[in-house]
């Protein structure tokens, strides 16, 4: 399905979307995937066919391209409508959605479970996540041990809703437990004796004996040989992590992510539910971030771990337990710890991620995954899936997902966008757009809002809501202008999903170095730059970003896929000028071998810092000799500052753009390059700025309004220069190309402030859509905050109001005028002579109008929409119950908004400024020379 963008070439809109226009074919086509998608929460899976179809039509009309179905906890009072996950009735609802989606042209993904992580009532103890613990004993030679070999686990229960439970309040068999939605159990361990898995004895010379079989009924039948012996007894138990935010029928234990059989048994439930059912219309399966260990203790064990370790690391871990569990940090213990963590990393990739992908592909479905937060090399996890997905608000966090997509040749990198963007009910469409722009700059090109809640159409306002969200639902007044934001995202993604990334530099991710570092926990979880805060690696990435370099992170495994051809380093997904090593003492030997091979073939492998050690324990002395020999053969310019080092490889960058206060990301196409450029400053940028391009024609596209055209370019000794005119927070797309046929000229203007009409008086105000009550129509003469008007109930109103006025056509000979609305809270649809000419979502509210669009007498109508906040405040102050959700119910994002019951409250908020504040001016323009 395609959109025809309707634009008026002579109309410039800042922060607006034009609808008064004619068809234009120069923009890339927009379709299902280029449009933004949203996470679609099914609370309690209490859905019905009528409301499913009706809400989907609302979503499609608002410009969404697809939905990700994620069943979660239910709503109190609707228990009779709950549908168990994957039951025949649930599958029937899914089939209804898939059929309707085809009619509407919507894409559909679904979570491979409810809430997160993978788990449910069909997960047995054998397949559930596990942990290990240990006890130490000492025995002198010639003596027997008097102590029993046992470990009594002290039980506990964690809940998501703060309800205090004891282990005896919880049944071990979750299938038979009643009231799990209300209990909201996050983790449970029971008072019980854990089984002994291993008993090892070590003397002072490092000799090891396996005594496991000599333990009968907790008694060790063994007399110690001469010397002093330390015994390590290893026990394992259920980690007890439960599915977070589970939907009915999804409550249960989380699977063991390191055991492929646990995954296969888990997925069998889906195979059974899908048997003889058509999944046509379902694009793919989704998995939220790892989050197994956001609990007490870590899931750090799987029963076959020793076998897997021995096979992968080349030695028996049983002989090295004192080193692994040593609280005194030594080089020996660090090397064993590295091997343990590296094995966990490989198991998560090979026993969970890859088999899950294989399962999805067997059903002809894509796999979309949030790999961050995992105790593994997340670059490799991201690289394995079809669509790597990020989240958050940090550019370098996004880059782990987008880098894997770029390096490995995946067209899409997605993001869970606008999660907890602000406190509940306070985020504007402009806030969401700024959030989305940051994702774009980080290489993301497939936006998923977080998100949109299914809610029955007849539900009392504000309907059903998810606890951590921006609440992009039809109940939110900003939904009226939501399509403007969605059209903007679709236009941007139509460029950002095209071609290939134009990145010059690969930056080595020092994973081995990080997992060699000894912490208080056995496992370390990777998420962006967490854990690298004071590292050279992070400092390098920050410098590269501020200097305007486009780069991708690369892992040891991905480095093995590189080749050198035509003067560039080639990866499966792109080509690069150079590979940079910056930060980290440890590097795997096979990585250094590959770097040596690349460099000897002519590739620019740059060393800002030099690794000095091989990681791991097995035969590390022999490997170190090879490592040192390779280092001596490599070319290094370690005395050069980083920027000069990059210059030796002629690595291009857009430093001039960044120095001017702009940020950008680029895509390369067969015709040239696309630039997504953002002015994140609080001031307007107007100046000539050079860019790196061998094309001498540049087209500017304004994704908020659809306007485009050739912009001024000049050739200098520095190369091609572009004239930029960007408002604060404005973003544009540039296309550097030789394709110039039938392209109009883009016009910039200067304000003629001495030729203005001030629309300060004579206004009427009519409230048209919202609640709790619609106040009516009023003559207000001058503009002000709604709250300043003497209108009954106005402080509680959330919705839309129409401002009307008239003005005479200016008697000047100017061809264009700018209508500036001044301050608006929150968005504004502008109607001129009964036709909508723009919808502005901020932060600026201006539209340029051609003289020939004006009549002698003109009617101006501005429909202003505010946020949900004031109506929520009213509900809180009147103590109207609306927080009626199981599990976590409705917590605040900020602690100052926590009520006595621990839930979010706006009872102490003052009503938020709303409406058209102005001043409103119509000012003549002159074409900028």
């Amino acid at each position: 399905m395609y959109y025809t963008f309707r634009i008026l070439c002579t109309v410039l809109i800042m922060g607006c979307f034009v609808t008064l226009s004619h068809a234009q074919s120069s923009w890339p086509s927009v379709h299902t995937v280029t449009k933004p998608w949203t996470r679609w929460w099914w609370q309690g899976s209490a859905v019905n066919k009528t409301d499913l179809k009706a809400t989907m039509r609302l979503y499609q009309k608002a410009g969404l391209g697809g939905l990700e179905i994620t069943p979660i906890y239910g709503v109190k009072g609707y228990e009779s409508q709950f549908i168990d996950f994957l039951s025949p009735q649930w599958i029937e609802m899914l089939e209804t959605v898939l059929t309707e989606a085809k009619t509407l042209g919507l894409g559909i993904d679904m979570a491979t479970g409810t809430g997160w992580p993978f788990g449910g009532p069909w997960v047995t103890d054998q397949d559930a996540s596990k942990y290990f613990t240990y006890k130490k004993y000492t025995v002198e030679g010639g003596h027997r041990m008097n102590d029993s070999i046992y470990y009594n686990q002290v039980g506990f229960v964690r809940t998501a809703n703060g309800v205090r439970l004891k282990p005896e309040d919880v049944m071990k068999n979750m299938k038979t437990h009643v009231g799990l939605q209300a209990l909201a159990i996050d983790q449970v361990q029971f008072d019980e004796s854990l089984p002994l898995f291993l008993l090892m004895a070590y003397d002072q010379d490092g000799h090891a004996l396996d005594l496991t079989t000599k333990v009968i009924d907790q008694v060790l039948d063994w007399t110690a040989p001469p010397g002093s012996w330390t015994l390590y007894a290893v026990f394992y138990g259920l980690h007890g992590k439960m599915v977070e935010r589970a939907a009915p029928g999804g409550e249960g234990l989380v699977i063991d992510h390191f055991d492929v059989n646990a995954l296969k048994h888990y997925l069998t439930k889906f195979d059974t539910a899908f048997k003889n059912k058509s999944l046509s219309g379902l694009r793919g399966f989704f998995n939220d971030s790892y989050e197994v260990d956001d609990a007490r203790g870590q899931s750090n064990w799987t029963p076959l771990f020793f076998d897997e370790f021995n096979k992968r690391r080349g030695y028996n871990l049983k002989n090295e337990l004192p080193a692994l569990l040593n609280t005194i940090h030594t080089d020996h213990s660090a090397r064993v710890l590295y091997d343990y963590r590296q094995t966990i990393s490989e198991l998560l990739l090979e026993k969970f991620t890859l088999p899950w992908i294989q399962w999805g592909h067997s059903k002809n479905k894509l796999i979309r995954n949030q790999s961050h937060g995992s105790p593994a090399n997340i670059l490799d996890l991201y690289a394995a899936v079809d669509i790597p997905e990020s989240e958050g608000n940090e550019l370098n966090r996004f880059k782990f997902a987008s880098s894997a997509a770029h390096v490995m040749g995946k067209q899409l990198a997605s993001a869970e966008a606008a999660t907890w963007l602000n406190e509940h009910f306070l985020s504007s469409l402009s806030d969401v757009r700024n959030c989305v722009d940051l994702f774009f700059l980080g290489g993301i090109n497939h936006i998923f809002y977080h998100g949109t809640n299914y809610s029955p159409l007849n539900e009392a306002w504000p309907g059903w809501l998810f606890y951590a969200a921006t609440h992009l639902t039809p109940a939110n007044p900003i939904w009226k202008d939501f399509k403007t934001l969605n059209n903007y995202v679709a236009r941007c993604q139509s460029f950002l999903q095209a071609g290939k990334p134009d990145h010059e530099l690969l930056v080595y991710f020092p994973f081995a170095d990080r997992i060699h570092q000894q912490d208080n926990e056995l496992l370390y979880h990777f998420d962006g730059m967490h854990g690298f805060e004071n590292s050279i690696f992070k400092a390098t990435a920050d410098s590269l970003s501020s200097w305007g370099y486009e780069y991708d992170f690369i892992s040891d495994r991905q480095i093995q896929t590189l080749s050198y051809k035509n003067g560039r380093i080639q990866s499966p997904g792109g080509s690069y000028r150079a590979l940079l090593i910056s930060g980290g003492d440890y590097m795997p030997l096979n990585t250094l071998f590959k770097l040596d091979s690349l460099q000897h073939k002519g590739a620019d492998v740059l060393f800002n810092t030099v690794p000095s050690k091989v990681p791991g324990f097995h035969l590390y002395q022999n490997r170190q000799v090879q490592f040192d020999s390779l280092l001596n053969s490599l070319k290094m310019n370690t005395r050069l500052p980083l920027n000069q080092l990059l210059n030796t490889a002629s690595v291009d960058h857009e430093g001039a753009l960044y120095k001017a206060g702009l940020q950008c990301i680029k895509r390369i196409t067969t015709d040239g390059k696309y630039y997504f450029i953002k002015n994140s400053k609080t001031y307007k940028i107007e100046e000539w700025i050079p860019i790196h391009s061998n094309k001498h024609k540049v087209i500017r596209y304004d994704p908020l309004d659809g306007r485009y055209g050739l912009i001024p370019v000049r050739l200098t000794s520095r190369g091609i220069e572009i004239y930029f005119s960007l408002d604060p927070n404005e973003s544009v797309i540039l296309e550097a190309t030789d394709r110039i046929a039938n392209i109009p000229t883009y016009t910039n203007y200067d304000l003629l402030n001495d030729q203005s009409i001030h629309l300060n008086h004579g206004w009427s105000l009519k409230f048209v859509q919202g609640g709790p009550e619609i106040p009516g129509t009023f003559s207000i003469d001058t503009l002000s905050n709604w709250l300043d008007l003497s209108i009954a109930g106005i402080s509680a109103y959330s919705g839309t109001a129409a401002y009307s006025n008239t003005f005479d056509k200016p008697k000047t000979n100017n061809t264009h005028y700018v209508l500036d609305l001044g301050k608006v809270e929150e968005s504004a649809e502008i109607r001129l002579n009964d036709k909508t000419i723009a919808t502005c979502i901020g932060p600026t509210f201006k539209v340029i109008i051609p003289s020939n669009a004006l009549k002698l007498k003109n009617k101006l109508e501005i429909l202003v929409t505010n946020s949900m906040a004031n109506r929520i405040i009213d509900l809180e102050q009147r103590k109207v119950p609306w927080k009626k959700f199981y599990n976590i119910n409705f917590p605040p994002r900020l602690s100052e908004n926590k009520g006595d019951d621990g839930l979010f409250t706006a009872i102490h908020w003052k009503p938020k400024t709303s409406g058209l504040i102005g001043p409103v001016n119509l000012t003549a323009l002159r074409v900028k020379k």
Side-chain angles (χ1 to χ4, degrees):
M1 189 173 79
Y2 298 89
Y3 274 163
T4 298
F5 289 105
R6 300 177 59 80
I7 66 172
L8 181 64
C9 293
T10 55
V11 176
L12 168 64
I13 298 165
M14 305 171 188
C16 305
F17 169 61
V18 177
T19 57
L20 175 66
S21 50
H22 66 269
Q24 182 52 252
S25 60
S26 182
W27 285 84
S29 60
V30 170
H31 50 81
T32 297
V33 178
T34 54
K35 297 177 189 177
W37 290 33
T38 190
R39 182 167 297 178
W40 193 19
W41 289 287
W42 285 11
Q43 288 189 290
S45 294
V47 299
N48 64 77
K49 295 180 180 180
T50 299
D51 284 342
L52 282 173
K53 294 177 181 179
T55 53
M56 289 175 71
R57 287 192 290 271
L58 290 175
Y59 306 153
Q60 188 263 357
K61 187 177 180 181
L64 292 172
L67 308 166
E68 171 216 302
I69 301 170
T70 299
I72 51 166
Y73 54 83
V75 181
K76 296 175 183 178
Y78 290 83
E79 292 82 0
S80 64
Q81 299 178 35
F82 289 175
I83 303 174
D84 279 352
F85 181 58
L86 295 182
S87 66
Q89 187 181 359
W90 196 94
I91 296 297
E92 186 178 347
M93 296 301 116
L94 174 63
E95 290 178 315
T96 297
V97 167
L98 296 179
T99 299
E100 186 68 14
K102 292 178 183 177
T103 301
L104 297 175
L106 291 171
I108 301 292
D109 287 352
M110 67 170 283
T112 321
T114 77
W116 59 89
F118 285 10
W122 63 93
V123 175
T124 64
D125 289 357
Q126 180 180 350
D127 291 337
S129 60
K130 298 173 180 65
Y131 79 104
F132 82 91
T133 188
Y134 69 98
K135 291 177 72 173
K136 290 173 62 176
Y137 307 88
T138 58
V139 183
E140 295 298 323
H143 291 79
R144 295 173 66 85
M145 205 177 85
N146 295 323
D147 294 335
S148 298
I149 307 294
Y150 70 94
Y151 186 93
N152 285 338
Q153 174 180 272
V154 178
F156 67 90
V157 182
R158 286 166 39 112
T159 64
N161 56 15
V163 174
R164 294 186 178 182
L165 296 174
K166 298 178 181 179
E168 53 264 34
D169 299 325
V170 180
M171 298 181 66
K172 286 189 175 182
N173 187 351
M174 291 294 171
K175 292 181 181 180
T176 61
H177 212 306
V178 177
L180 285 174
Q181 285 287 296
L183 294 179
I185 301 172
D186 180 63
Q187 186 182 12
V188 58
Q189 292 182 7
F190 297 96
D191 295 314
E192 59 187 357
S193 179
L194 297 185
L196 175 70
F197 184 79
L198 178 70
L199 179 64
M200 295 294 297
Y202 309 89
D203 69 5
Q204 63 271 26
D205 296 323
H207 298 115
L209 297 175
D210 187 340
L211 306 178
T212 310
T213 59
K214 297 182 180 298
V215 179
I216 302 174
D217 295 331
Q218 300 183 349
V219 176
L220 175 61
D221 183 14
W222 176 72
T223 301
S228 295
W229 293 83
T230 301
L231 277 61
Y232 282 76
V234 177
F235 308 84
Y236 76 91
L238 295 182
H239 180 245
K241 175 67 176 177
M242 300 279 286
V243 178
E244 290 188 46
R245 319 299 179 242
E251 308 100 330
L253 292 168
V254 166
I255 69 167
D256 179 351
H257 283 69
F258 313 125
D259 181 354
V260 69
N261 289 321
L263 175 69
K264 289 179 178 179
H265 296 159
Y266 175 78
L267 294 175
T268 298
K269 177 75 172 181
F270 292 82
D271 293 332
T272 301
F274 294 152
K275 188 176 182 180
N276 298 325
K277 303 294 182 182
S278 173
L279 295 182
S280 175
L282 181 68
R283 182 186 70 160
F285 295 103
F286 170 70
N287 178 43
D288 211 318
S289 48
Y290 182 75
E291 296 191 47
V292 178
D293 293 336
D294 57 346
R296 185 188 296 187
Q298 296 183 331
S299 174
N300 55 20
W301 189 250
T302 190
L304 294 178
F305 184 81
F306 277 124
D307 294 337
E308 292 288 350
F309 184 97
N310 298 350
K311 179 173 63 177
R312 296 164 188 272
R313 305 281 81 86
Y315 65 98
N316 194 334
L317 182 60
K318 295 178 181 179
N319 297 331
E320 297 296 339
L321 290 182
L324 176 66
L325 304 174
N326 192 0
T327 57
I328 300 174
H329 298 168
T330 66
D331 179 68
H332 181 192
S333 62
R335 291 181 178 280
V336 175
L337 178 62
Y338 165 89
D339 287 335
Y340 169 83
R341 289 171 170 172
Q342 179 64 25
T343 302
I344 286 287
S345 178
E346 292 171 6
L347 291 178
L348 187 54
L349 173 65
E350 298 172 21
K351 304 299 183 180
F352 172 76
T353 307
L354 292 176
W356 175 46
I357 295 168
Q358 184 179 19
W359 174 83
H361 287 180
S362 72
K363 292 176 167 43
N364 297 315
K365 307 304 175 191
L366 298 177
I367 292 295
R368 201 176 98 247
N369 189 51
Q370 294 183 1
S371 301
H372 47 271
S374 300
N377 193 323
I378 58 175
L379 285 175
D380 295 333
L381 300 183
Y382 277 134
V385 298
D386 301 302
I387 306 176
E389 177 161 302
S390 185
E391 63 177 310
N393 55 14
E394 298 174 4
L395 195 70
N396 275 326
R397 190 186 194 198
F398 314 152
K399 274 186 169 291
F400 282 86
S402 64
S403 291
H406 297 164
V407 170
M408 302 308 294
K410 301 173 189 299
Q411 201 66 19
L412 299 176
S414 61
E416 172 192 306
T419 308
W420 283 115
L421 190 58
N422 203 330
E423 186 54 277
H424 293 290
F425 314 116
L426 297 183
S427 297
S428 67
L429 293 173
S430 179
D431 294 332
V432 177
R433 184 175 72 87
N434 281 328
C435 165
V436 168
D437 284 350
L438 188 62
F439 280 112
F440 289 158
L441 290 168
I444 300 300
N445 60 4
H446 190 20
I447 292 296
F448 280 76
Y449 297 125
H450 190 278
T452 302
N453 218 104
Y454 168 90
S455 187
L457 294 182
N458 62 354
E459 182 69 11
W461 196 91
W464 298 357
L465 299 172
F466 186 65
Y467 80 96
T470 309
H471 310 306
L472 296 172
T473 66
N476 193 333
I478 65 175
W479 186 270
K480 173 188 172 298
D481 298 328
F482 189 31
K483 187 173 183 178
T484 299
L485 172 65
N486 294 332
N487 287 340
Y488 167 83
V489 174
R491 285 173 169 156
C492 291
Q493 292 188 161
S494 71
F495 284 97
L496 295 174
Q497 292 177 10
K500 291 186 176 183
D502 183 33
H503 291 187
E504 288 281 285
L505 188 63
L506 290 167
V507 177
Y508 175 65
F509 176 47
F511 176 78
D513 196 76
R514 182 61 189 83
I515 65 171
H516 225 282
Q517 298 175 27
Q518 294 172 295
D519 305 301
N520 294 326
E521 298 284 357
L522 283 176
L523 297 182
Y524 180 78
H525 299 78
F526 289 83
D527 197 346
M529 287 296 176
H530 175 62
F532 294 93
E533 286 81 2
N534 300 312
S535 68
I536 295 174
F537 171 64
K538 181 182 184 301
T540 297
D542 290 344
S543 294
L544 293 173
S545 295
S546 65
W547 295 343
Y549 285 92
E550 294 290 348
Y551 59 92
D552 288 319
F553 298 130
I554 189 167
S555 72
D556 297 285
R557 181 185 292 259
Q558 291 161 9
I559 282 177
Q560 299 303 317
T561 69
L562 299 180
S563 61
Y564 183 70
K565 184 178 180 181
N566 299 327
R568 306 273 293 188
I569 297 173
Q570 307 290 332
S571 78
S575 69
Y576 299 84
R577 180 75 65 184
L579 192 162
L580 175 67
I581 311 299
S582 189
D585 293 328
Y586 293 88
M587 177 181 284
L589 179 60
N590 63 341
T591 299
L592 195 65
F593 266 121
K594 185 65 176 184
L595 299 183
D596 177 71
S597 173
L598 288 170
Q599 195 176 80
H600 277 82
K601 291 176 181 177
D604 283 307
V605 180
L606 310 177
F607 289 85
N608 186 45
T609 61
V610 180
S612 58
K613 303 174 185 177
V614 292
F617 179 64
H618 183 58
L619 300 177
Y620 74 89
Q621 297 96 336
N622 294 342
R623 289 185 287 117
Q624 188 65 49
V625 171
Q626 298 177 69
F627 192 92
D628 293 339
S629 176
L630 280 172
L631 277 181
N632 292 332
S633 70
L634 286 163
K635 300 175 184 176
M636 302 181 190
N637 291 310
T638 55
R639 295 184 179 181
L640 291 177
L642 178 59
N643 58 344
Q644 293 184 27
L645 180 64
L646 295 171
N647 288 339
T648 65
S650 301
V651 181
D652 289 341
H653 60 90
E654 299 294 345
L657 280 174
Y658 280 73
K659 188 175 182 180
L662 303 176
Q663 296 172 282
C664 80
I665 192 167
K666 299 180 291 185
R667 305 279 296 185
I668 191 167
T669 70
T670 55
D671 294 324
K673 291 182 182 180
Y674 294 142
Y675 294 71
F676 175 84
I677 299 175
K678 171 84 171 180
N679 176 11
S680 298
K681 302 299 182 181
T682 58
Y683 52 83
K684 186 171 185 175
I685 294 177
E686 287 192 289
E687 60 180 291
W688 290 90
I689 304 174
I691 63 172
H692 274 280
S693 173
N694 59 1
K695 306 294 184 181
H696 296 163
K697 302 294 181 182
V698 177
I699 306 169
R700 169 172 168 163
Y701 300 85
D702 290 348
L704 261 176
D705 61 25
R707 183 182 182 233
Y708 76 102
L710 285 167
I711 60 174
V713 173
R714 68 186 185 189
L715 299 178
T716 71
S717 58
R718 296 188 296 174
I720 184 174
E721 289 189 343
I722 308 298
Y723 183 77
F724 284 90
S725 177
L726 288 177
D727 279 344
N729 283 310
E730 187 176 9
S731 50
V732 297
I733 292 166
L734 300 184
E735 180 183 6
T737 182
D738 292 327
R739 180 179 62 84
I740 60 172
N742 302 318
I743 304 296
T745 299
Y746 189 97
T747 306
N748 290 303
Y749 298 94
D750 288 323
L751 282 170
L752 300 177
N753 290 314
D754 58 341
Q755 300 181 33
S756 292
I757 296 175
H758 307 293
L759 302 176
N760 296 327
H761 301 282
W763 290 92
S764 66
L765 175 61
K766 180 180 181 180
F767 292 86
V768 295
Q769 178 181 321
E773 303 293 336
I774 298 179
T777 303
F778 306 88
S779 295
I780 60 171
D781 189 42
T782 59
L783 299 171
S784 67
N785 182 357
W786 291 350
L787 306 179
D788 296 334
L789 304 176
S790 299
I791 299 175
I794 191 63
S795 62
Y797 183 76
S798 289
T800 301
Y803 293 79
S804 299
N805 208 335
T806 59
F807 65 93
D808 294 332
K809 182 176 182 178
K811 296 181 180 179
T812 62
N813 293 323
N814 301 89
T815 60
H816 292 81
Y817 301 84
V818 61
L819 177 67
D820 187 342
L821 304 185
K823 184 178 180 181
V824 175
E825 299 289 348
E826 304 271 345
S827 59
E829 177 188 350
I830 302 172
R831 294 178 60 83
L832 179 64
N833 298 322
D834 297 320
K835 293 182 179 180
T836 297
I837 62 169
T839 298
C840 302
I841 62 174
T844 56
F845 296 85
K846 305 174 185 178
V847 55
I848 292 177
I849 304 173
S851 176
N852 57 17
L854 297 174
K855 300 178 180 180
L856 293 178
K857 195 78 171 181
N858 297 276
K859 176 184 175 182
L860 178 64
E861 188 176 27
I862 303 169
L863 282 74
V864 177
T865 302
N866 70 345
S867 71
M868 300 177 79
N870 289 349
R871 194 168 175 183
I872 290 290
I873 296 170
D874 174 66
L875 289 180
E876 292 285 275
Q877 293 177 345
R878 292 193 289 117
K879 298 183 179 180
V880 176
W882 60 273
K883 290 167 282 188
K884 52 191 177 184
F885 311 107
Y886 278 115
N887 200 282
I888 197 168
N889 205 346
F890 213 78
R893 182 178 185 272
L894 304 175
S895 59
E896 58 263 32
N897 297 317
K898 180 183 291 186
D900 294 338
D901 58 2
L903 305 183
F904 164 84
T905 182
I907 196 169
H908 300 299
W909 287 6
K910 294 181 179 180
K912 307 300 178 183
T913 301
S914 301
L916 178 60
I917 316 301
V920 177
N921 297 310
L922 184 71
T923 304
L925 297 175
R926 177 178 58 204
V927 175
K928 185 183 288 291
K929 300 288 186 179

